[in-house]
Amino acid sequence: MKTDILCQWKCFSVKQTTQTLPDGREVEFTTVKHPGAVVILPLTENDELVMVHQYRPAIGRWILEFPAGTLEPDEDLHACAKRELAEEVQLEAEQWHDMGELLPVPGFCDEVQHLYLAKTLTSCPGDPDEDEVIEVVRLSRTEFEQKVANNTIQDAKTLAAYFKARMMNLI
């Protein structure tokens, strides 16, 4: 299998490879290589969802989403989840529930998002990354579902994490 790196940026790269498909055909395929990420659904003792209202330059607008972030090289998944929860919403959690994985864009990217539910939350220090503009928002589940229904919440990882938590009877 031949691989060419077409672009390298921070921890992401774009690679072109010659691959053999299951039916035996060889094709050139371009993939965005991603180190993986965590997505955290923080739930307060009052049954509120802690979210971030974050400006996303790629789409040029603000969105409501759960705290999330990219894994650092060789970083443990749980350590990344704890770091992102502190950085983005200044919280730490005593209880963590692993909710599995998402494949957000498997058509062209190898990113795996690891989902966590965080409970028994307490305040802690934490600063967002310098390229982030974030406001912390707390919503009841009813408010969250209304914002999903009226298309205010559109972030796929947020929708999937909430749905997964509901299906696992964690919320």
Side-chain angles (χ1 to χ4, degrees):
M1 181 169 69
K2 180 184 169 218
T3 300
D4 293 317
I5 297 174
L6 303 178
C7 177
Q8 179 71 46
W9 179 77
K10 292 187 179 183
C11 58
F12 308 103
S13 64
V14 178
K15 294 184 178 181
Q16 187 167 7
T17 59
T18 303
Q19 295 187 19
T20 303
L21 298 177
D23 66 4
R25 290 180 294 142
E26 282 195 3
V27 296
E28 293 281 317
F29 196 79
T30 304
T31 304
V32 175
K33 303 298 284 179
H34 191 289
V38 296
V39 180
I40 306 107
L41 189 166
L43 185 66
T44 70
E45 291 180 11
N46 297 329
D47 212 29
E48 291 177 311
L49 306 166
V50 181
M51 303 187 70
V52 294
H53 188 227
Q54 183 167 0
Y55 183 77
R56 291 295 192 176
I59 58 172
R61 61 189 171 106
W62 292 82
I63 64 171
L64 271 172
E65 61 186 305
F66 289 133
T70 302
L71 287 158
E72 298 290 337
D74 301 316
E75 186 176 26
D76 173 77
L77 292 172
H78 188 246
C80 181
K82 289 170 60 175
R83 175 178 55 79
E84 289 294 338
L85 187 64
E87 281 179 10
E88 294 194 355
V89 294
Q90 294 76 51
L91 292 172
E92 58 188 7
E94 279 186 39
Q95 294 181 339
W96 290 88
H97 300 277
D98 183 340
M99 298 192 300
E101 300 175 348
L102 291 179
L103 302 173
V105 284
F108 66 87
C109 182
D110 68 352
E111 179 183 9
V112 176
Q113 294 176 342
H114 305 271
L115 306 177
Y116 291 95
L117 174 71
K119 295 172 76 176
T120 315
L121 305 173
T122 54
S123 294
C124 73
D127 294 316
D129 291 335
E130 66 180 49
D131 64 346
E132 293 179 322
V133 180
I134 294 174
E135 299 168 354
V136 178
V137 175
R138 292 178 184 230
L139 299 175
S140 69
R141 286 193 281 165
T142 300
E143 291 169 322
F144 178 92
E145 290 176 9
Q146 287 170 344
K147 288 185 182 303
V148 171
N150 71 21
N151 211 36
T152 300
I153 295 176
Q154 299 176 313
D155 180 60
K157 68 185 177 301
T158 296
L159 297 170
Y162 183 80
F163 180 74
K164 187 96 180 230
R166 290 283 304 265
M167 295 302 100
M168 295 174 74
N169 292 316
L170 295 172
I171 61 171

